[in-house]
Amino acid sequence: MRKKLFLLAISLIFFIYQSKAASFLRSDTLDIRKTILVFDITDFASKNIFAKATLNIQAKKNNVTQLLFDLEGLMVDSVFVNGTNTAFTHTGMTLAVNNSVMNLNDTALVDIYYHGIPIADATWGGFSYVGNYAFQMGVGFNAQPHSFGRTWHPCFDNFVERCAYEFFVTTTNDKMAVCNGLLLDSTLNANTTKTWHWKLDEEIPSYLSAVAVCNYIFVKQVLTGNNGNTDALIACEPADTNNVIGSFAHLQKSFSMLEENFGTHSWPKVGYSLVPFNYGAMEHATNIHIGKPFIDGTLNYETLIAHELSHHWFGDLITCSNAGDMWLNEGFASYCEFLHQEYTYGQKSYLQAVRDNHYTVLNTAHLNDNGYRAIANMDSNYTYGTTVYLKGADAIHTLRSYMGDSLFFNGLTSFLNANKFKAVSSNDLKNYLSTYSNINLTDFFDNWIFEKGFTHFSIDYYKATKNGSNYDAEIYLRQRKHKSSNYYANVPLEIGVYDSLWQLHIYKTVFNGHCMQFNISIPFEPKMIVVDPSSKISDAITEETLVIKTTSQKIFYKANCIIQPKAFANNNDSSLIRIEHNWIAPDRFKNQANTNGYVLADSRYWKVDGINLENMLGNLSFSYFGGGANIAWDSSWVKNTEDSIRLFYRKDATQDWAFANDSMKTGSITDKIGSGFAKKIKAGEYCFGIKRSYYIDPLVSDLCSSSTNVNSYQKEKDLNVYPNPTSSQITIEFPNSINTKSLIELFDLTGKKVLSVKQTIQQKTTINLPRLPQGIYSLKVTANDIVYFEKMVIE
């Protein structure tokens, strides 16, 4: 499901039922093989339903003497086991049926007659009568457990138990009942009611079963796919047909995207039913219930439609084994929204969606979910929170970068096929993808999935030295922790280097620990060097890069910064500028004696970089906001009156902070809202500080060194190339075990490529060289998406 409660900041209050754990244990004792539901939904005045459920059960162990089912809010009239009237008790949501002994593989038919007014959740889900609609939404946000099939039929209401379903739903003659599966027939009864017969042979958990009743008609699409045509039936009132046609115009694109990325659709149809629900949709298999307000004839909510359809792969075909792993359902469905954008509108749209989502995660997830939380093993109070949905999608984007597209999509397709109609866990996914890809994903899952918070990567400083026609660049990288416990391990990191023509060149490394020195030899002078220029990993940074050609104001939304160019020194020139908003505390003052009583902000800082910045005259504007009952970005440090706030600047981590050439605009000096202006646009880092005399700053910098001591940075492990000097042959020895295809290239001092070899290499590989003039050469080896450089001398 996708909940439009993303637009609301909700606080959930939960009631813990003692039978929660018992519901899961029942699936170890009994198997519900099929559920047949006979329903009368004709009494819209009193909102009563009258029903019979027939459950075909099988014992999974010996000596089973009591049958326990979940049923909440309805009254049981009688129970028959194999046709015999049987004693029962119904307390709370537990229906206990006495039974003669069942042993392993024994079967029984249990008929349960019941009636009443079905309940709805106070916030989201359950069974509702609204106007001329009656419909079920299969989860309850306030409920424990969240699975909410028990509000309309007896079941084992958990994420593990699955069975086939058959429905016989009687309505008044003017209405239609829409259920899971295929419509087999409808029968006009003598009393002018109609009975609708639906059947789903594929097994689903109870919370994915559903019914919707209204004066529906179907708008039909025929979707083309891997196995031919699949019918898509969208149930709506006649007056809504044009809205359906408009809003579902890209359903085929979503379907094609999902089949191409994750394998053939496994269900007998695609189905949506419009219901009067204002908070999103619910992914009942083949009968998605979607709120009418979102089907308005436009494509404004096409990602909601795509999100729900993607559950036919993530959440229906495979299901999380418990609520703590809900990201396997909802994180992947949210990520499929980005894939829909990519498939429909292109790569640029995908990256925009990823960056928008990442900004939302950093900005709001900890507020909406009452703290920083891991994606997996989620507290059930926040099962349907921002962390599960949006940070889950954020991490999946990063997983794609770790694995590469081929292994990512093929691995997930294989995982889905291997676990069809099963419940799975985060560890199941980790182990399967690791085996499939031959990439150990333990560190990824430990860091990005099982741990709270974020990592952060930055360049402390770099220097480039001319060496013949090349430049030797030494880049000093640092990893910091944002509300996480550990430094992330084995992170594939891209370093982007811009040349004088503003062309971006990508160099790859793997980051471990706190600090690292990364050395590259490049055939041009670097004009700007940045970390992760293509937003491949979701760390604690949001950034934007723009080309500025005019004096119009430029708002960097993801960087929370504004540039106001006023003039250009050369009117024919433009400037490339990149601004990062770093969602971590800036380094503290190096020299406490020079603080002048100021304390730096403890929540964020900015980094400005670019090419041709000296051509642009103007100012930079940075805002602070400390209101909002101590939940705003700057509420933790804006404690004094705002006339004591200043903007600070440093070129890079080798320098100490000093007052920027700044001015302040505060309005009221007590509303905790204002802006700082840097009067010159120049590269460097910026942060706010506030005068707090006698205040002892509790934060400590995690600098790699107190000066420019490069020995504090662990040098990236280099290749061992020998003999060097050489004349005809070299042996390349990698720092770690390797067996992969690689590209081996050799360049002379002019940058001309004199050797290019593609081959599978081992940890130690010997290469024959062509006859080459004596001199200095640059060896470049690309293996496992990592680029290694080494200087060589040919004798």
Side-chain angles (χ1 to χ4, degrees):
M1 110 213 43
R2 178 169 157 212
K3 47 186 179 67
K4 287 304 284 188
L5 290 179
F6 287 153
L7 303 179
L8 308 174
I10 62 171
S11 176
L12 303 180
I13 303 172
F14 295 96
F15 300 93
I16 308 297
Y17 293 93
Q18 290 182 345
S19 56
K20 175 185 175 183
S23 178
F24 288 88
L25 295 176
R26 290 169 203 162
S27 294
D28 294 332
T29 302
L30 293 168
D31 178 32
I32 301 177
R33 302 167 69 188
K34 185 173 182 179
T35 296
I36 302 174
L37 298 178
V38 180
F39 258 76
D40 185 307
I41 307 179
T42 58
D43 189 356
F44 274 66
S46 69
K47 302 181 180 180
N48 275 282
I49 62 168
F50 300 88
K52 170 192 172 185
T54 299
L55 281 67
N56 184 336
I57 63 172
Q58 184 175 35
K60 299 174 79 171
K61 58 177 61 174
N62 292 324
N63 199 33
V64 179
T65 59
Q66 190 178 52
L67 312 177
L68 299 176
F69 302 101
D70 297 312
L71 184 67
E72 184 177 1
L74 297 165
M75 182 176 295
V76 178
D77 301 311
S78 59
V79 178
F80 292 80
V81 178
N82 292 328
T84 301
N85 199 336
T86 304
F88 67 89
T89 60
H90 187 198
T91 304
M93 68 178 186
T94 301
L95 171 63
V97 178
N98 296 328
N99 189 41
S100 57
V101 174
M102 293 181 69
N103 291 315
L104 180 65
N105 294 328
D106 286 349
T107 61
L109 286 178
V110 183
D111 294 316
I112 302 168
Y113 294 83
Y114 58 103
H115 73 278
I117 301 174
I119 63 173
D121 185 82
T123 301
W124 204 104
F127 201 104
S128 298
Y129 283 88
V130 180
N132 63 333
Y133 288 83
F135 60 96
Q136 161 74 0
M137 303 290 270
V139 300
F141 282 7
N142 280 318
Q144 291 284 4
H146 295 302
S147 49
F148 226 23
R150 62 185 180 273
T151 64
W152 76 298
H153 69 83
C155 55
F156 295 166
D157 208 15
N158 58 46
F159 296 103
V160 175
E161 185 65 34
R162 286 175 171 262
C163 69
Y165 276 83
E166 196 163 1
F167 308 87
F168 298 84
V169 182
T170 298
T171 70
T172 56
N173 191 35
D174 61 329
K175 290 184 171 60
M176 175 193 293
V178 183
C179 299
N180 308 82
L182 298 176
L183 178 62
L184 300 187
D185 58 62
S186 61
T187 303
L188 183 62
N189 302 314
N191 62 356
T192 71
T193 61
K194 263 190 176 180
T195 298
W196 305 86
H197 180 194
W198 294 82
K199 186 180 181 185
L200 179 69
D201 292 326
E202 291 76 13
E203 295 186 341
I204 59 173
S206 56
Y207 80 102
L208 293 179
S209 64
V211 62
V213 173
C214 189
N215 59 319
Y216 283 128
I217 63 170
F218 285 125
V219 176
K220 180 178 178 180
Q221 288 190 28
V222 178
L223 305 175
T224 59
N226 295 342
N227 280 346
N229 293 334
T230 297
D231 286 345
L233 301 177
I234 300 103
C236 67
E237 292 186 272
D240 294 326
T241 55
N242 287 336
N243 282 347
V244 166
I245 292 168
S247 291
F248 282 85
H250 286 166
L251 183 62
Q252 176 67 66
K253 291 182 181 294
S254 294
F255 187 81
S256 298
M257 175 274 292
L258 288 161
E259 283 210 327
E260 288 181 21
N261 287 332
F262 303 117
T264 301
H265 186 250
S266 300
W267 303 91
K269 80 172 194 295
V270 169
Y272 292 79
S273 294
L274 273 61
V275 295
F277 191 73
N278 296 327
Y279 305 112
M282 176 64 207
E283 67 270 15
H284 316 112
T286 71
N287 186 22
I288 297 160
H289 289 180
I290 190 165
K292 285 182 64 176
F294 312 112
I295 309 304
D296 60 2
T298 74
L299 293 171
N300 291 340
Y301 301 100
E302 63 179 303
T303 55
L304 171 61
I305 293 170
H307 177 113
E308 298 306 324
L309 181 60
S310 71
H311 280 304
H312 272 197
W313 285 259
F314 298 97
D316 294 355
L317 187 63
I318 61 166
T319 306
C320 60
S321 54
N322 61 74
D325 270 340
M326 185 57 68
W327 77 281
L328 296 171
N329 294 17
E330 299 299 346
F332 273 95
S334 297
Y335 181 70
C336 286
E337 296 181 42
F338 310 157
L339 296 179
H340 171 84
Q341 297 292 90
E342 182 176 33
Y343 188 90
T344 306
Y345 301 107
Q347 174 71 7
K348 185 177 180 180
S349 181
Y350 169 83
L351 283 177
Q352 183 66 43
V354 167
R355 287 166 173 160
D356 288 347
N357 178 73
H358 185 52
Y359 181 89
T360 301
V361 169
L362 287 167
N363 191 22
T364 67
H366 60 291
L367 302 178
N368 295 344
D369 294 343
N370 196 28
Y372 291 86
R373 301 183 180 279
I375 296 168
N377 304 316
M378 177 60 69
D379 183 319
S380 63
N381 288 359
Y382 306 99
T383 299
Y384 298 103
T386 308
T387 301
V388 166
Y389 280 71
L390 301 192
K391 192 181 178 189
D394 213 24
I396 294 163
H397 164 71
T398 301
L399 177 62
R400 179 179 177 179
S401 301
Y402 266 64
M403 300 182 69
D405 278 10
S406 178
L407 289 175
F408 175 77
F409 289 113
N410 291 333
L412 286 170
T413 300
S414 181
F415 179 72
L416 290 165
N417 288 333
N419 293 281
K420 279 187 175 183
F421 307 109
K422 294 180 182 178
V424 296
S425 68
S426 296
N427 279 318
D428 291 334
L429 180 63
K430 177 191 73 174
N431 294 334
Y432 192 96
L433 291 181
S434 293
T435 300
Y436 179 90
S437 65
N438 201 29
I439 300 171
N440 188 338
L441 292 170
T442 298
D443 288 327
F444 170 83
F445 275 81
D446 285 350
N447 296 153
W448 300 90
I449 306 300
F450 297 131
E451 184 177 356
K452 68 178 182 179
F454 302 83
T455 188
H456 176 279
F457 294 100
S458 61
I459 296 175
D460 276 355
Y461 66 102
Y462 68 85
K463 57 183 179 180
T465 305
K466 188 171 177 58
N467 187 347
S469 62
N470 286 0
Y471 284 82
D472 295 335
E474 298 175 7
I475 305 167
Y476 297 92
L477 299 163
R478 179 163 35 137
Q479 180 178 184
R480 282 178 267 186
K481 296 177 283 188
H482 178 52
K483 310 300 180 180
S484 60
S485 301
N486 302 296
Y487 293 117
Y488 288 13
N490 293 313
V491 180
L493 198 62
E494 291 190 349
I495 308 301
V497 183
Y498 286 86
D499 63 24
S500 59
L501 299 177
W502 302 5
Q503 295 298 308
L504 176 63
H505 305 262
I506 299 294
Y507 299 89
K508 299 182 180 183
T509 185
V510 174
F511 201 112
N512 278 294
H514 182 200
C515 306
M516 189 180 83
Q517 178 185 341
F518 179 59
N519 296 336
I520 52 175
S521 179
I522 50 181
F524 57 87
E525 182 181 4
K527 294 298 183 180
M528 181 168 67
I529 302 179
V530 300
V531 174
D532 190 30
S534 303
S535 301
K536 292 290 187 70
I537 62 168
S538 299
D539 63 349
I541 297 174
T542 53
E543 78 290 332
E544 289 185 67
T545 303
L546 293 177
V547 175
I548 298 181
K549 300 179 179 180
T550 68
T551 56
S552 60
Q553 184 186 79
K554 303 297 186 298
I555 301 175
F556 288 69
Y557 292 98
K558 301 297 180 301
N560 291 302
C561 179
I562 298 174
I563 283 187
Q564 180 59 69
K566 295 182 178 179
F568 291 88
N570 183 342
N571 289 329
N572 295 323
D573 253 345
S574 55
S575 299
L576 177 70
I577 186 165
R578 173 186 169 95
I579 304 180
E580 296 177 352
H581 184 263
N582 296 270
W583 299 76
I584 61 171
D587 292 328
R588 316 322 284 165
F589 287 110
K590 293 175 184 289
N591 187 346
Q592 293 299 314
N594 294 332
T595 64
N596 296 311
Y598 278 85
V599 179
L600 299 178
D602 60 6
S603 56
R604 57 197 180 121
Y605 73 95
W606 291 265
K607 182 176 182 179
V608 176
D609 209 342
I611 303 175
N612 207 20
L613 293 189
E614 65 280 1
N615 183 58
M616 184 166 48
L617 307 177
N619 60 55
L620 295 163
S621 172
F622 307 95
S623 298
Y624 62 87
F625 176 60
N630 292 324
I631 63 171
W633 295 327
D634 304 300
S635 58
S636 58
W637 64 267
V638 182
K639 298 298 185 183
N640 300 352
T641 59
E642 295 157 59
D643 54 1
S644 64
I645 293 176
R646 289 290 303 272
L647 191 64
F648 287 80
Y649 169 84
R650 69 179 188 181
K651 179 183 177 183
D652 55 36
T654 65
Q655 297 185 353
D656 206 353
W657 295 99
F659 290 129
N661 181 11
D662 66 332
S663 63
M664 303 297 299
K665 183 178 180 181
T666 61
S668 167
I669 62 171
T670 60
D671 65 359
K672 300 184 179 181
I673 300 172
S675 299
F677 297 84
K679 297 177 182 179
K680 182 178 180 181
I681 301 171
K682 63 178 180 178
E685 297 177 357
Y686 298 81
C687 74
F688 283 109
I690 191 167
K691 198 156 193 175
R692 297 180 72 181
S693 300
Y694 309 111
Y695 176 79
I696 299 176
D697 188 353
L699 298 184
V700 178
S701 298
D702 62 348
L703 286 166
C704 298
S705 63
S706 58
S707 63
T708 59
N709 178 13
V710 299
N711 294 325
S712 300
Y713 297 81
Q714 178 182 356
K715 191 173 181 181
E716 183 191 37
K717 293 181 178 179
D718 292 325
L719 296 175
N720 186 15
V721 180
Y722 56 89
N724 191 7
T726 186
S727 58
S728 60
Q729 190 179 77
I730 56 170
T731 296
I732 303 172
E733 186 174 357
F734 286 84
N736 299 305
S737 177
I738 193 170
N739 181 8
T740 188
K741 290 182 179 179
S742 72
L743 175 62
I744 301 167
E745 298 169 291
L746 196 64
F747 300 86
D748 64 17
L749 283 179
T750 69
K752 179 182 177 182
K753 186 186 298 183
V754 297
L755 173 69
S756 180
V757 177
K758 292 182 179 180
Q759 70 176 67
T760 298
I761 57 176
Q762 310 296 322
Q763 184 173 4
K764 185 185 293 186
T765 299
T766 298
I767 301 293
N768 292 320
L769 299 177
R771 295 180 62 88
L772 295 170
Q774 293 181 353
I776 299 174
Y777 292 79
S778 178
L779 177 69
K780 177 183 178 183
V781 181
T782 307
N784 284 338
D785 286 333
I786 301 173
V787 181
Y788 301 85
F789 291 91
E790 189 73 19
K791 279 286 186 294
M792 285 186 51
V793 176
I794 303 295
E795 293 181 326

